[in-house]
């Protein structure tokens, strides 16, 4: 897979079409989420089938919706996505998918690539009128406390749904390779006895970061390489028999070191751009 090449940084009048196109994508995405929540998703809930089948239908619908949004962002020149070893996600079932978190659209990109996936979402999204119906119908998990969260994750994974987790907890700070990893992903994987699949999101330009508002459309197209790593088996850590807390700390350190090693070169190149 070829690395994403740096694109020209737009300035002056040349930036106006990019900004209008990018903002329009977000507006269409928000209105589309509200429309689907009020029309299609209620119909899917009423359609015959088991609760698991209904959630799976909703997840496929959200997958197609997000794939359309990524297509719009690509058309507007905001991002350009490339993938490597995507077949590892296509065959994944009931796995914890972990990824670094460089941009606002990371979860959208990942869900656009996987039809059978859920994620942990902030409580605020459950009150958002544009996305509330989407996250509830697709069986996404609200972040509502450690015990309830673990129980919800165990149920979702047992049904064969993959679960996206960002160990950084928030988007990577500007001028950092990654943020420090929290132990949440490791704890969930070990306590539910679930294997992990690491995904490295490698970008060639800074944009859509935590420090920037959503309407600050990047002046330079963000090339994002989605690189899917090999499965990390939870049994490797259970076999140490050192207690769950110690195993979780070790797994978290290993994951953090893995991402630092993968992203170090990319970070230096991005700073130069």
């Amino acid at each position: 897979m070829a690395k994403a090449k740096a694109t020209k940084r737009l300035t002056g009048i040349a930036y106006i079409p990019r900004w209008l196109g990018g903002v329009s994508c977000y507006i269409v995405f928000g209105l589309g989420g509200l429309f689907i929540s009020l029309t299609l998703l209620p119909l899917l809930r009423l359609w015959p089938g088991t609760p698991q089948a209904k959630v799976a239908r909703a997840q496929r619908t959200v997958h197609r919706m997000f794939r359309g949004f990524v297509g719009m962002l690509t058309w507007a020149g905001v991002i350009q996505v490339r993938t490597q070893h995507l077949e590892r996600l296509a065959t994944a079932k009931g796995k914890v998918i972990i990824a670094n978190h460089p941009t606002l659209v990371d979860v959208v990109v990942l869900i656009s690539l996987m039809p059978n996936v859920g994620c942990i979402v902030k409580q605020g999204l459950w009150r958002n009128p544009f996305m509330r119906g989407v996250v509830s119908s697709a069986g996404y998990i609200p972040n509502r406390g450690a015990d309830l969260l673990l129980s919800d994750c165990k149920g979702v994974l047992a049904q064969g749904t993959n679960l996206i987790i960002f160990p950084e907890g928030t988007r990577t700070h500007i001028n950092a390779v990654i943020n420090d990893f929290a132990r949440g992903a490791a704890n969930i994987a070990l306590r539910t006895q679930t294997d992990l699949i690491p995904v490295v999101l490698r970008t060639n330009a800074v944009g859509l970061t935590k420090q920037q508002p959503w309407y600050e459309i990047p002046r330079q197209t963000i090339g994002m390489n989605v690189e899917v790593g090999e499965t990390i088996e939870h049994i490797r850590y259970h076999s140490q028999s050192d207690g769950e807390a110690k195993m979780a700390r070790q797994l978290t350190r290993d994951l953090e070191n893995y991402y630092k090693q993968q992203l170090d070169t990319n970070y230096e190149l991005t700073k130069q751009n």
Side-chain angles (χ1 to χ4, degrees):
M1 177 197 67
K3 291 183 179 180
K5 296 181 179 179
T7 56
K8 182 179 178 181
R9 182 180 176 85
L10 300 179
T11 58
I13 296 177
Y15 172 64
I16 294 176
R18 165 74 56 78
W19 185 86
L20 290 173
V23 170
S24 297
C25 289
Y26 286 114
I27 293 173
V28 170
F29 179 70
L31 293 176
L34 179 61
F35 176 77
I36 289 176
S37 297
L38 296 175
T39 58
L40 183 57
L41 291 178
L43 289 175
L44 292 177
R45 283 197 295 266
L46 293 173
W47 200 262
T50 63
Q52 292 82 0
K54 293 179 179 181
V55 168
R57 284 197 292 262
Q59 288 175 350
R60 288 193 296 270
T61 300
V62 174
H63 158 71
R64 295 186 184 102
M65 173 186 169
F66 283 13
R67 188 168 59 184
F69 180 50
V70 172
M72 287 191 296
L73 291 175
T74 302
W75 167 81
V78 177
I79 62 172
Q80 181 68 51
V81 178
R82 294 178 174 84
T83 62
Q84 183 178 22
H85 299 305
L86 189 59
E87 70 280 358
R88 293 171 179 167
L89 291 184
T91 57
K93 190 173 182 180
K95 299 290 194 295
V96 171
I97 312 298
I98 60 168
N100 56 308
H101 202 357
T103 79
L104 175 65
V105 296
D106 299 334
V107 70
V108 175
V109 169
L110 290 174
I111 292 175
S112 77
L113 298 173
M114 301 182 69
N116 63 324
V117 68
C119 59
I120 300 169
V121 298
K122 297 178 181 178
Q123 288 278 21
L125 275 181
W126 293 81
R127 298 187 293 270
N128 185 315
F130 296 99
M131 298 303 297
R132 180 174 56 202
V134 173
V135 297
S136 61
S137 296
Y140 294 173
I141 299 171
N143 193 350
R144 52 177 184 160
D147 291 338
L148 289 173
L149 179 63
L150 182 62
S151 177
D152 289 342
C153 290
K154 186 173 183 179
V156 166
L157 292 165
Q159 294 171 9
T161 297
N162 300 298
L163 185 62
I164 296 172
I165 301 177
F166 297 103
E168 293 177 87
T170 187
R171 276 170 278 167
T172 309
H173 298 299
I174 295 177
N175 297 324
V177 179
I178 55 171
N179 302 328
D180 293 339
F181 276 19
R183 292 199 294 269
N187 275 318
I188 289 171
L190 293 173
R191 294 188 181 188
T192 62
Q193 300 186 8
T194 303
D195 294 339
L196 305 96
I197 299 179
V199 178
V200 175
L201 302 179
R202 196 184 300 274
T203 57
N204 67 349
V206 176
L208 303 176
T209 66
K210 183 71 172 179
Q211 291 74 34
Q212 298 169 314
W214 66 268
Y215 52 81
E216 190 173 320
I217 305 302
R219 293 177 178 269
Q220 182 177 352
T221 300
I222 299 174
M224 178 184 289
N225 290 338
V226 181
E227 303 173 11
V228 185
E230 296 183 357
T231 298
I232 300 171
E233 297 179 345
H234 72 275
I235 195 65
R236 286 165 43 185
Y237 293 85
H238 280 295
S239 63
Q240 298 172 13
S241 301
D242 288 331
E244 286 185 341
K246 189 172 181 179
M247 288 189 296
R249 287 195 296 270
Q250 183 61 54
L251 176 54
T252 300
R253 283 195 296 269
D254 291 348
L255 292 174
E256 188 171 327
N257 289 334
Y258 171 84
Y259 277 89
K260 285 179 178 178
Q261 292 170 4
Q262 293 293 318
L263 292 166
D264 248 344
T265 302
N266 180 75
Y267 171 62
E268 294 300 325
L269 291 174
T270 300
K271 285 203 318 184
Q272 295 172 14
N273 291 333

